[in-house]
Amino acid sequence: MNEHLKKLLLESLKDQKEIFGDLLFDKLEVETVPVKPQKISLNEKEPAKPKLEIIEQKNDIVIPPEFSSCSTLEELNSKICNCVKCELGKTRNKFVFGAGNPNSEVMLIGEAPGADEDKQGIPFVGKAGQLLTDILKAINFERDDLYIANILKCRPPNNRTPVPAEMDICIPYLWKQIELINPKVILCLGLTAATGLLKLKLSLTKMRGNIYELNGIKTMVTYHPAALLRNPNWKRGCWEDVQQFRKLYDELTEKN
Ligand code: URA
């Protein structure tokens, strides 16, 4: 296969993975087992949702007791920043704890640090981060007003998708961060962030346009900015999501 074709194929597969994650394989498996004939479209299209639904999401969030002594983000960071509980701790350059306003009412959650973040120790500073900054500006948020963190604190080699074991080890750090920041709203960027935080096995298409209530915190889901760089057609959907997110924030904080 020529290199150009290979690149196109890879990008298209990455796009499908961004929307469907492991469900992509479930769909393919369903297709190979002819139990009940069904039409499966990988370009899943949902009818427009008339109104945002609020879905209470029961997620057993258990914050490890070892963090009970941490009453600030700095204390938490110094407790966990040398973590080597998984292999990523051995290959990382910098531990990417999170950045922004510790008293923010808004948290954004991404997937994991990439090469630039691993160099600088700050989330979303590469190309995807620049796009994220622009998206936030378009809905009148400055990056410094918000708090941004990732599901994983360390970079997976070659930016591969985090594996469940890594997520299970790392997510309690994020839960403690969320508890300390206590935001009013959370926006998950991409499928890994959404499934990791909400513990839902749904496609991104199904999760977008809903409001999940996670331990009382209203949580929404949109595309990951890196996916938008690969597939600009999704920018429109993202624009709709972030406008809804801004509206939700305004309603909750009575800033409309
Ligand atoms: N992608 C992420 O999910 N997080 C970052 O910090 C950077 C890129």
Side-chain angles (χ1 to χ4, degrees):
M1 193 185 298
N2 84 33
E3 282 309 304
H4 179 64
L5 213 63
K6 208 154 116 187
K7 190 164 171 265
L8 285 179
L9 185 61
L10 258 177
E11 282 178 0
S12 151
L13 286 171
K14 271 190 189 165
D15 290 345
Q16 295 295 336
K17 192 167 145 211
E18 176 63 24
I19 297 288
F20 295 108
D22 290 343
L23 294 177
L24 179 62
F25 302 105
D26 293 355
K27 280 176 186 292
L28 293 174
E29 273 160 24
V30 172
E31 273 185 325
T32 57
V33 181
V35 184
K36 200 163 76 177
Q38 45 178 308
K39 204 164 174 232
I40 294 150
S41 161
L42 290 183
N43 293 317
E44 185 176 344
K45 279 211 175 86
E46 290 271 292
K49 294 188 174 101
K51 192 166 165 278
L52 292 192
E53 241 182 284
I54 297 191
I55 301 168
E56 196 183 336
Q57 186 51 26
K58 295 239 182 300
N59 181 357
D60 295 332
I61 293 182
V62 183
I63 296 174
E66 65 200 90
F67 300 148
S68 57
S69 62
C70 301
S71 56
T72 64
L73 291 174
E74 289 75 23
E75 283 169 4
L76 177 65
N77 190 12
S78 51
K79 206 173 177 83
I80 64 177
C81 66
N82 295 316
C83 177
V84 280
K85 284 188 185 169
C86 79
E87 289 300 303
L88 304 184
K90 297 173 192 156
T91 53
R92 72 166 175 249
N93 185 29
K94 289 217 167 129
F95 184 85
V96 183
F97 178 73
N101 174 359
N103 303 311
S104 182
E105 289 170 326
V106 184
M107 265 187 95
L108 262 55
I109 312 292
E111 179 174 311
D116 296 301
E117 293 75 20
D118 179 59
K119 261 191 217 123
Q120 298 185 40
I122 304 168
F124 283 100
V125 286
K127 268 196 186 153
Q130 282 163 22
L131 178 58
L132 179 62
T133 306
D134 292 342
I135 293 170
L136 292 172
K137 274 209 180 107
I139 50 165
N140 294 320
F141 281 134
E142 291 296 327
R143 268 181 79 126
D144 292 347
D145 297 340
L146 320 174
Y147 196 91
I148 306 181
N150 283 308
I151 296 283
L152 294 192
K153 307 290 185 214
C154 301
R155 181 191 183 203
N158 300 318
N159 299 342
R160 65 152 169 76
T161 305
V163 298
E166 291 160 354
M167 290 167 66
D168 289 347
I169 290 170
C170 219
I171 280 184
Y173 300 162
L174 179 62
W175 288 336
K176 183 66 188 180
Q177 267 175 309
I178 294 173
E179 184 192 72
L180 289 169
I181 296 164
N182 192 22
K184 285 210 159 61
V185 286
I186 293 178
L187 183 63
C188 296
L189 305 169
L191 189 66
T192 303
T195 50
L197 202 64
L198 295 167
K199 294 266 176 279
L200 282 175
K201 210 179 167 210
L202 291 175
S203 69
L204 195 75
T205 316
K206 290 236 164 71
M207 285 190 270
R208 288 180 47 233
N210 294 328
I211 301 171
Y212 295 96
E213 199 158 80
L214 182 67
N215 281 21
I217 304 169
K218 305 270 190 302
T219 302
M220 293 187 72
V221 174
T222 191
Y223 295 99
H224 192 288
L228 299 178
L229 290 173
R230 287 196 304 273
N231 195 338
N233 291 339
W234 291 344
K235 283 188 179 169
R236 189 191 177 87
C238 177
W239 173 236
E240 287 163 8
D241 296 342
V242 295
Q243 278 179 306
Q244 287 176 334
F245 182 71
R246 176 72 212 205
K247 189 162 169 272
L248 173 69
Y249 166 80
D250 286 339
E251 280 166 10
L252 292 174
T253 56
E254 291 174 4
K255 287 182 183 145
N256 45 349

